[in-house]
Amino acid sequence: MLRRRRPLVRAAGVVATTAVVAGTAGAVHHHQQQKYAQQNAAAQQQQDAAYQQGMADAQAQQQYAPPPPPQYAPAPAAPGNDLTAQLQQLAQLHTAGVLSDEEFAAAKQKLLAG
């Protein structure tokens, strides 16, 4: 009868060992899953914080950015400059011989009278 008990004891030992190994493996697996979940949650929190900070910086920059400089139309030519240019053009035409002395004097008088 000793022989019959030994195989049962051995079988019970194998079953017990398998249960311990399986239980340990399950506990380790569960622990790893919790660890990875915590790491993922921490990474997500960091990403959320960085996103929120970026949004706050963008809003602050928009809020406090100086306004763009006003767009001005080009200043009209000063009447004196335009008159000077026209008188110079008349003088060139007179010098080139296109205008006679009388025509030059009349055109100059007309420009100066406005």
Side-chain angles (χ1 to χ4, degrees):
M1 283 244 179
L2 276 176
R3 288 187 183 182
R4 288 186 183 175
R5 287 188 179 179
R6 280 193 174 177
L8 288 178
V9 171
R10 284 185 190 167
V14 171
V15 170
T17 304
T18 303
V20 169
V21 170
T24 304
V28 169
H29 178 71
H30 178 70
H31 176 73
Q32 287 176 337
Q33 283 182 336
Q34 285 182 335
K35 178 180 163 183
Y36 294 144
Q38 288 173 352
Q39 288 175 348
N40 289 340
Q44 185 64 40
Q45 286 177 347
Q46 287 177 346
Q47 288 176 350
D48 289 345
Y51 175 78
Q52 294 297 330
Q53 183 63 40
M55 290 298 291
D57 290 346
Q59 287 176 351
Q61 189 176 21
Q62 286 177 354
Q63 187 176 15
Y64 297 110
Q71 298 293 327
Y72 295 108
N81 291 341
D82 189 37
L83 181 62
T84 305
Q86 289 178 351
L87 286 172
Q88 287 175 348
Q89 185 180 13
L90 281 176
Q92 288 174 353
L93 290 172
H94 181 255
T95 305
V98 175
L99 295 176
S100 66
D101 290 337
E102 295 83 23
E103 291 172 331
F104 173 71
K108 183 170 112 175
Q109 197 64 358
K110 185 177 176 183
L111 281 176
L112 292 174

